[in-house]
Amino acid sequence: MKKRIVRITAALCAAALLAGCGGSISSKDGGYYTTEAAAQESYNYDSAAGSVDSGLVPENAAEAATDETAQKIIYNASLSMESTDFDTTREALMTAVEANGAWLESTSLYGTEKDHDRTADYTVRVPVGSYRAFLAAVGDAGSVLNISESAENITSSYIDVQARLSALETQRDRLNALADQAETTADLLEIESQLSDVQYQLENYTRQLRSMDQQVSYSTVDIYLREVATLTPTGVTFGERIADAFGGGWDAFVGFLQGLVIALVYLWPVLLIAVAVVFILRKVWKKRPKKEKLPKPAQTPPPAEYPVKPGDGPKPKY
């Protein structure tokens, strides 16, 4: 009996050691990013409409995502674009999402159609096999100002999680065998406690592995779309940019005049009241009696500087 207890205790200790090995990775959202500093590469370049292409994702990326022996790489992209026809560009983007088997993870829209200042933010999950085709379709939808791509290699983390899962499955099988041999309630409760911990870790690592597979299979593309009156010049000569600047200045002046007229139309009641007040004040001012001017006092001749001698004054007339 004592020997059996010793064997069970030793087996439980071994299981605890395996649990410690299997639980060395922890994170709020899976933990596989904490095992290594994943390699990243990013590219930034200007692009005109209709010429967007990936310089990072290989053409066989779809096969590599499902190949167990291939590198596990997460591809992401971020685009900034503008359009003079906001609604048409939005429809083209949604068509590109549907045509390439992608799906919208998040979307937001700001501004109003009346003010022509709308912006939209999209986060799209694209199958890695359709990543290049989706970027080309986005380039056809509007004027792409810039694009940034990144690649994150999580191969070592992926292999590490697979090893943890294998070790935990072996530990679970051993604990199940010990549970069948337990002769006391205390031993059975201890084994079941160990099994509960192992099962929790198994579910956690399985969830991590599933999340990594999804991120490898589906790339994340962030798109920022802005409505503009005139497209920003991309890849043009200095003379063309000067011409565009003149055109943009004239458009801005016309827009200012239009805005001024619209503001005056909005303020017509205030202007009408102001004109009426000025007219009434002018009428009241004209009806006020004018003040009479008082006669100026007679001026006395200044005193002579020298005394007048007798006989020097004016002679009396007879």
Side-chain angles (χ1 to χ4, degrees):
M1 181 67 182
K2 291 183 178 180
K3 292 182 178 180
R4 180 178 294 275
I5 292 174
V6 171
R7 287 198 301 271
I8 292 176
T9 303
L12 290 175
C13 291
L17 289 175
L18 287 173
C21 293
S24 60
I25 304 176
S26 62
S27 175
K28 292 182 180 179
D29 298 324
Y32 53 87
Y33 288 113
T34 61
T35 59
E36 66 171 342
Q40 294 189 7
E41 298 178 9
S42 63
Y43 298 86
N44 295 276
Y45 55 90
D46 292 333
S47 175
S51 62
V52 178
D53 190 16
S54 173
L56 190 60
V57 179
E59 295 183 358
N60 62 342
E63 292 79 3
T66 56
D67 189 357
E68 295 183 357
T69 62
Q71 296 286 312
K72 301 297 179 180
I73 301 176
I74 300 174
Y75 297 103
N76 297 318
S78 178
L79 298 97
S80 176
M81 57 189 307
E82 60 185 16
S83 174
T84 56
D85 192 345
F86 191 80
D87 293 325
T88 301
T89 301
R90 286 183 59 200
E91 292 176 2
L93 289 176
M94 296 303 101
T95 301
V97 169
E98 184 177 357
N100 290 279
W103 50 278
L104 284 173
E105 189 172 63
S106 67
T107 177
S108 58
L109 180 65
Y110 308 95
T112 61
E113 182 179 2
K114 179 180 67 176
D115 296 331
H116 301 287
D117 62 347
R118 289 173 291 178
T119 61
D121 290 299
Y122 300 104
T123 298
V124 186
R125 299 299 301 276
V126 185
V128 68
S130 303
Y131 177 84
R132 299 168 68 95
F134 178 74
L135 289 186
V138 171
D140 293 333
S143 176
V144 178
L145 299 179
N146 56 71
I147 174 174
S148 174
E149 297 182 84
S150 66
E152 186 174 10
N153 194 328
I154 60 168
T155 304
S156 61
S157 298
Y158 191 91
I159 295 174
D160 194 10
V161 172
Q162 285 182 322
R164 305 294 180 182
L165 279 173
S166 179
L168 287 169
E169 289 172 353
T170 301
Q171 181 183 358
R172 181 188 57 189
D173 296 339
R174 185 174 299 177
L175 288 172
N176 285 328
L178 289 175
D180 295 336
Q181 300 175 5
E183 295 181 354
T184 64
T185 303
D187 291 341
L188 184 60
L189 291 175
E190 179 66 23
I191 294 172
E192 287 181 350
S193 177
Q194 291 282 344
L195 274 171
S196 179
D197 292 340
V198 170
Q199 186 63 33
Y200 173 78
Q201 293 183 58
L202 277 170
E203 293 175 357
N204 185 31
Y205 285 119
T206 301
R207 185 168 56 251
Q208 292 180 30
L209 203 63
R210 190 180 301 116
S211 177
M212 283 190 282
D213 284 333
Q214 187 182 39
Q215 293 192 56
V216 170
S217 300
Y218 286 84
S219 301
T220 301
V221 180
D222 295 316
I223 302 174
Y224 173 75
L225 172 63
R226 182 168 65 97
E227 183 179 23
V228 295
T230 305
L231 296 177
T232 301
T234 56
V236 296
T237 62
F238 179 74
E240 292 174 339
R241 296 179 64 181
I242 291 293
D244 290 335
F246 276 111
W250 174 253
D251 292 338
F253 177 70
V254 173
F256 170 75
L257 291 180
Q258 292 176 349
L260 181 60
V261 172
I262 292 174
L264 293 176
V265 172
Y266 272 116
L267 296 175
W268 73 264
V270 178
L271 296 176
L272 185 61
I273 293 173
V275 171
V277 170
V278 171
F279 179 77
I280 293 172
L281 290 177
R282 288 175 60 89
K283 287 290 186 181
V284 171
W285 185 265
K286 288 182 179 180
K287 289 182 179 181
R288 291 181 60 185
K290 297 182 179 180
K291 294 182 180 180
E292 295 182 359
K293 296 182 179 180
L294 297 175
K296 296 182 179 180
Q299 296 181 355
T300 57
E305 296 182 0
Y306 302 98
V308 180
K309 296 180 179 181
D312 293 340
K315 294 180 181 181
K317 295 181 180 181
Y318 298 99

